[in-house]
Amino acid sequence: MPRHQHCTEYWSLQGKKAWRNLIENLEVSREDQVWVADMTYVHLKGRFIYLAVLMDVFARVIKAWQLGPHLSQSLTLKPLEEAFCHSVCEIHHSDQGVQYLSKTYVAMLQAHGVEISVARRGRPWENGYAERLIRTLKEEEVDINDYQNITEARDRIGHFITQVYHQKRPHSALGYLTPMEFQQQTLS
């Protein structure tokens, strides 16, 4: 049986390619094997802004993120471009959001030789790694703060990611190490 043949297919927004969930039964065993992506909203006084994140599943490291006033293509493209400056994943997994299945986003992944994996519609648990990350960001930072503007939100979320999530917050999936401790241990 060819690799991933058992996965359920569905048609992308482009209508030409059937994307599959390639990580459903995959054992993630190395850095840059699988990156997951997702977006969420952040409430400001009287309006919403949006956060896009890109995480390496193996070490639970947030490779890149972007905060912006609109659900635009650049919201997802900028973190991907930033992450590609440092490394390239083997598989990129996301939900069926239009930003992740746009021609531009897909073309960037394909230009780097990345396999594209997508959760099936109506199955958020198929993007569980990213959903869990979003939940952590919301519960431990976003929902407990009252950001006055996008600059404050960007500063506070950035601080949480770099200083708390990466360096102080242990993860059960990492043997209760922080992502930075886990990376250091696996490089030793």
Side-chain angles (χ1 to χ4, degrees):
M1 172 190 286
R3 189 170 161 210
H4 308 304
Q5 184 176 342
H6 67 281
C7 298
T8 301
E9 295 182 359
Y10 72 88
W11 298 102
S12 76
L13 295 175
Q14 298 174 47
K16 298 177 184 174
K17 172 74 175 166
W19 303 117
R20 300 176 182 155
N21 181 344
L22 304 179
I23 70 167
E24 191 168 21
N25 296 309
L26 181 68
E27 182 181 329
V28 180
S29 59
R30 62 192 170 278
E31 201 165 359
D32 296 324
Q33 181 181 2
V34 176
W35 291 354
V36 293
D38 204 358
M39 297 178 291
T40 190
Y41 67 91
V42 174
H43 188 262
L44 295 183
K45 291 206 177 257
R47 67 183 178 117
F48 291 100
I49 56 176
Y50 302 92
L51 173 66
V53 293
L54 190 61
M55 180 183 76
D56 178 88
V57 171
F58 181 69
R60 302 302 199 268
V61 169
I62 299 172
K63 300 297 267 185
W65 61 280
Q66 177 72 20
L67 194 63
H70 308 289
L71 281 172
S72 64
Q73 184 67 73
S74 67
L75 183 71
T76 55
L77 275 175
K78 285 184 179 183
L80 185 62
E81 290 169 346
E82 181 182 330
F84 279 157
C85 288
H86 305 286
S87 58
V88 174
C89 61
E90 297 169 30
I91 299 171
H92 176 284
H93 184 80
S94 69
D95 60 18
Q96 292 188 37
V98 295
Q99 291 84 358
Y100 295 116
L101 294 179
S102 72
K103 289 181 182 181
T104 306
Y105 200 91
V106 167
M108 184 176 292
L109 291 170
Q110 291 174 332
H112 285 84
V114 175
E115 289 189 81
I116 300 168
S117 174
V118 182
R120 289 171 284 191
R121 186 171 305 282
R123 296 180 170 226
W125 60 88
E126 288 188 5
N127 198 19
Y129 296 114
E131 294 285 338
R132 179 66 181 106
L133 168 62
I134 293 291
R135 190 173 90 198
T136 298
L137 286 168
K138 291 275 211 157
E139 288 176 353
E140 298 180 19
E141 172 57 33
V142 173
D143 290 348
I144 61 173
N145 286 294
D146 188 20
Y147 307 122
Q148 299 300 305
N149 55 51
I150 194 168
T151 302
E152 180 185 353
R154 187 176 290 118
D155 291 346
R156 297 287 301 271
I157 292 168
H159 177 268
F160 177 80
I161 289 170
T162 60
Q163 302 301 311
V164 178
Y165 185 84
H166 282 161
Q167 296 186 36
K168 295 179 182 173
R169 189 182 188 286
H171 293 259
S172 59
L174 303 178
Y176 294 96
L177 298 173
T178 68
M180 292 297 110
E181 290 169 337
F182 184 78
Q183 275 190 318
Q184 290 170 352
Q185 187 177 69
T186 57
L187 293 175
S188 316

